[in-house]
Amino acid sequence: MENYSKLYEQYMAKLKAELPHFLTYHSWKHTEYVLGVAVNIAQHEGIGPHDMHLLKTAALFHDIGFVKSHIEHEERGVKYCQKILPDWGYTDEQISLIAGMIRATKIPQQPHTLLECILADADLEYLGTNKFEQIGNLLYTELTHYNPQLTRAEWNEIQIKFMQAHKYRTNYCIKNCKPVKLAHLAELIAER
């Protein structure tokens, strides 16, 4: 566990250096943000130090697959963790738990454990915050790289459908983020 700060420094530097610049949403800043949110949610959910260490590791690596491709990036991230984490002292069991957390961020989210729920909620926490519009705009810009014809109206419809299907799973996000997300959703629907 004492190696986490070195792990963080090395792989955050990798994200900064190797993620494509057109990834305005799935940037290193997103990873840093999700990591901080995951720690905050975990503290509210009463997670102990060992599980917190695994959660922080999963958050650090949850989008590292984007270095190679946006397609199946979660599985790429899992394979990457399986390859490099043993050298950092992680056991097969720990890596399996980390893999489960990374897979839990795949859309549509299907987390099974509390740690998976925490990372899944952290990844989409912004939907229920005052950062919704700002972060949503970053995602819209990123998506226009893949689909330059994507209009704002189409984007808003995508957001509406996505938010209607999405649900928070941790007590913290249900209490603190869900009401704000529903207000954002109502605004988008009213703007149709």
Side-chain angles (χ1 to χ4, degrees), residues 2-29:
E2 64 279 350
N3 283 340
Y4 178 78
S5 60
K6 289 179 186 171
L7 182 76
Y8 173 86
E9 286 174 27
Q10 183 171 327
Y11 288 95
M12 189 56 72
K14 180 178 178 66
L15 290 171
K16 288 178 182 180
E18 297 181 27
L19 281 173
H21 294 293
F22 63 80
L23 295 178
T24 50
Y25 173 83
H26 290 103
S27 67
W28 65 269
K29 291 179 183 177

Side-chain angles (χ1 to χ4, degrees), residues 112-148:
H112 303 290
T113 68
L114 178 57
L115 289 176
E116 290 175 8
C117 289
I118 291 170
L119 188 56
D121 278 5
D123 199 28
L124 296 174
E125 172 260 10
Y126 83 93
L127 296 172
T129 71
N130 63 2
K131 295 178 176 68
F132 170 71
E133 190 172 345
Q134 173 194 352
I135 294 176
N137 284 335
L138 294 174
L139 183 52
Y140 172 68
T141 301
E142 182 175 312
L143 292 175
T144 60
H145 172 81
Y146 300 106
N147 178 8

Side-chain angles (χ1 to χ4, degrees), residues 43-152:
Q43 288 169 338
H44 282 91
E45 298 290 328
I47 297 302
H50 178 263
D51 284 345
M52 182 72 83
H53 175 67
L54 298 180
L55 176 66
K56 286 166 58 177
T57 304
L60 177 63
F61 288 99
H62 85 281
D63 278 345
I64 201 152
F66 273 102
V67 167
K68 296 290 183 200
S69 172
H70 69 284
I71 298 165
E72 295 293 325
H73 74 273
E74 296 91 359
E75 277 310 307
R76 289 176 191 278
V78 166
K79 285 183 174 61
Y80 192 76
C81 287
Q82 290 167 338
K83 180 180 167 189
I84 64 109
L85 289 180
D87 293 340
W88 290 86
Y90 289 79
T91 66
D92 288 347
E93 182 184 351
Q94 290 171 324
I95 293 168
S96 177
L97 293 171
I98 290 165
M101 286 183 263
I102 293 171
R103 288 181 177 122
T105 65
K106 182 178 173 71
I107 306 299
Q109 294 181 330
Q110 297 178 342
H112 303 290
T113 68
L114 178 57
L115 289 176
E116 290 175 8
C117 289
I118 291 170
L119 188 56
D121 278 5
D123 199 28
L124 296 174
E125 172 260 10
Y126 83 93
L127 296 172
T129 71
N130 63 2
K131 295 178 176 68
F132 170 71
E133 190 172 345
Q134 173 194 352
I135 294 176
N137 284 335
L138 294 174
L139 183 52
Y140 172 68
T141 301
E142 182 175 312
L143 292 175
T144 60
H145 172 81
Y146 300 106
N147 178 8
Q149 279 72 47
L150 183 66
T151 67
R152 270 289 171 185

